[in-house]
């Protein structure tokens, strides 16, 4: 492969050359820092929303406007989530496809994990469950639907195709996640536990361990497979005609990418605490159910990067990458983030389990079936996209009128 370029310097095959190490005088450091800030902060239109972050903190300590604080924190986190994805992609160029795939798996859903951990710390287990469920539903229905619709309109004279093998593997993992969530719920609602409450929690923790093993096996299978049908999405060999596009995408150095990952993760963590603290007050002031806020509104924050990139790749007729971004993100949340939160809750002494209640579990099950049927033929068009978006509107309306049976117990 040809050499990539970062800041005008050659990076052959992801390896930093010694010539990239600058002379560390004050002028050089200031110049590099300013150039990095300009590249990361001022190259995305979403970054116009960044002032909402500091405004959130000011409002939190000066007013009781919980609805405004919640909306401002959502708007403030959205560009940070998008830039976190950007910094991960930049770092993946230097680390190569194998480690790059692991980085994407780790940081791709970092926003959802941070929000979930803060909610767990506050004992808001239902918010954790519903926000993670909402992220899966949003990725599978809204993100994939918008991508298929946009790509289908741009390429309306032909059907867009993608790898059926990859879609089948992801659909299988999603169905396995549904199984992991379904049995604790069925055990609870059929009153067939040996010890009421304790058995479903023990089953949830055991199943979470199994799901984490399955996800680790899936990652190893993806990253080590030599079969092109199952190769890591987004890390496959880039055709020659696209080489110039990849050259243009390498815009910051490896250490700059690492520094930005740390800064963005910390800033997201800070705003996530204000976001979680404002949820219940926002529910009252905006007259919206907590379930609707958790399932429909919160995922907008974490899925901003996936939504934008999935649509962009679909419009460029790169459906394999679109499926990898959207369905792959749903797989990560269902098979890694949810069981990880169960384990973290166990360590915190919180009774986080996989019993998402019947309404939520049934919604996820039906969604996985619908999307699996849509993906089984490996063909995308605008009609499929429109159907998925309309399905998401039905789900959103359902949660708007849904009363969470456990809300009163967890408040």
């Amino acid at each position: 492969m040809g050499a990539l370029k970062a800041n005008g310097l050659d990076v052959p095959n992801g390896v930093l050359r010694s010539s990239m190490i600058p002379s560390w005088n004050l002028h050089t450091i200031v110049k590099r820092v300013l150039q990095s800030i300009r590249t990361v902060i001022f190259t995305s239109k979403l970054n116009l929303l960044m002032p909402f972050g500091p405004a959130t903190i000011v409002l939190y300590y000066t007013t009781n406007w919980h609805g405004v604080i919640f909306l401002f924190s959502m708007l403030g986190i959205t560009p940070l989530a998008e830039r976190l994805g950007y910094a991960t992609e930049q770092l993946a160029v230097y680390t190569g496809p194998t480690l790059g795939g692991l980085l994407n798996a780790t940081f791709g859903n970092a926003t959802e994990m941070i929000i979930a951990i803060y909610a767990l710390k506050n004992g808001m287990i239902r918010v954790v469950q519903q926000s993670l469920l909402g992220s899966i539903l949003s990725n599978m229905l809204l993100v994939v639907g918008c991508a298929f619709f946009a790509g289908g309109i741009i390429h309306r004279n032909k059907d867009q195709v993608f790898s059926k093998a990859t879609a089948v593997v992801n659909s299988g993992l999603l169905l396995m996640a549904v199984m992991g969530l379904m049995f604790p719920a069925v055990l609870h609602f059929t009153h067939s536990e040996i010890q009421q409450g304790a058995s479903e929690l023990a089953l949830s923790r055991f199943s979470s361990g199994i799901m984490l093993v399955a996800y680790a096996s899936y990652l190893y299978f993806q990253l080590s497979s030599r079969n092109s049908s199952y190769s890591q999405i987004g890390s496959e060999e880039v055709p020659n005609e696209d080489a110039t596009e990849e050259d243009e995408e390498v815009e910051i150095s490896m250490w700059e990418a690492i520094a930005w990952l740390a800064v963005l993760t910390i800033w997201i963590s800070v705003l996530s605490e204000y976001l979680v603290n404002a949820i219940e007050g926002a529910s009252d002031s905006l007259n919206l159910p907590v379930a609707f806020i958790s399932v429909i509104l919160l995922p907008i924050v974490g899925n901003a990067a996936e939504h934008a990139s999935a649509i962009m790749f679909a419009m460029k007729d790169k459906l394999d990458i679109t499926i990898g971004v959207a369905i792959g993100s749903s797989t990560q949340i269902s098979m890694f983030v949810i069981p990880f939160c169960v384990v973290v809750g166990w360590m915190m002494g919180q009774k986080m389990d996989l019993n998402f209640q019947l309404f939520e579990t049934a919604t996820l099950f039906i969604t996985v079936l619908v999307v699996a049927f849509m993906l089984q033929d490996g063909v995308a068009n605008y009609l499929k996209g429109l159907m998925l978006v309309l399905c998401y509107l039905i789900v959103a309306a359902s949660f708007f009128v849904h009363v969470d049976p456990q809300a009163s117990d967890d408040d």
Side-chain angles (χ1 to χ4, degrees), residues 254-275:
M254 181 176 73
W255 292 109
E256 287 172 328
I258 292 172
W260 278 111
L261 281 177
V263 169
L264 291 168
T265 302
I266 292 170
W267 188 220
I268 288 173
S269 300
V270 171
L271 289 183
S272 295
E273 185 170 8
Y274 296 103
L275 177 73

Side-chain angles (χ1 to χ4, degrees), residues 224-339:
S224 65
S225 177
R226 294 295 176 263
N227 186 341
S228 61
S229 298
Y230 295 100
S231 61
Q232 176 73 13
I233 292 297
S235 63
E236 61 269 6
E237 291 295 324
V238 181
N240 291 333
E241 61 268 21
D242 292 339
T244 55
E245 287 185 23
E246 189 169 350
D247 288 346
E248 295 172 359
E249 291 175 2
V250 185
E251 297 171 348
I252 57 177
S253 70
M254 181 176 73
W255 292 109
E256 287 172 328
I258 292 172
W260 278 111
L261 281 177
V263 169
L264 291 168
T265 302
I266 292 170
W267 188 220
I268 288 173
S269 300
V270 171
L271 289 183
S272 295
E273 185 170 8
Y274 296 103
L275 177 73
V276 169
N277 290 338
I279 286 177
E280 292 179 355
S283 174
D284 294 332
S285 61
L286 298 176
N287 198 25
L288 292 173
V290 173
F292 181 82
I293 291 176
S294 302
V295 177
I296 305 302
L297 297 184
L298 279 183
I300 294 174
V301 174
N303 292 339
E306 286 97 336
H307 207 147
S309 57
I311 292 175
M312 179 188 70
F313 285 123
M315 293 173 70
K316 291 181 179 179
D317 201 19
K318 297 180 179 180
L319 261 294
D320 278 334
I321 304 180
T322 294
I323 297 299
V325 168
I327 303 299
S329 181
S330 295
T331 304
Q332 288 168 16
I333 294 170
S334 59
M335 294 296 291
F336 173 68
V337 179
I338 289 177

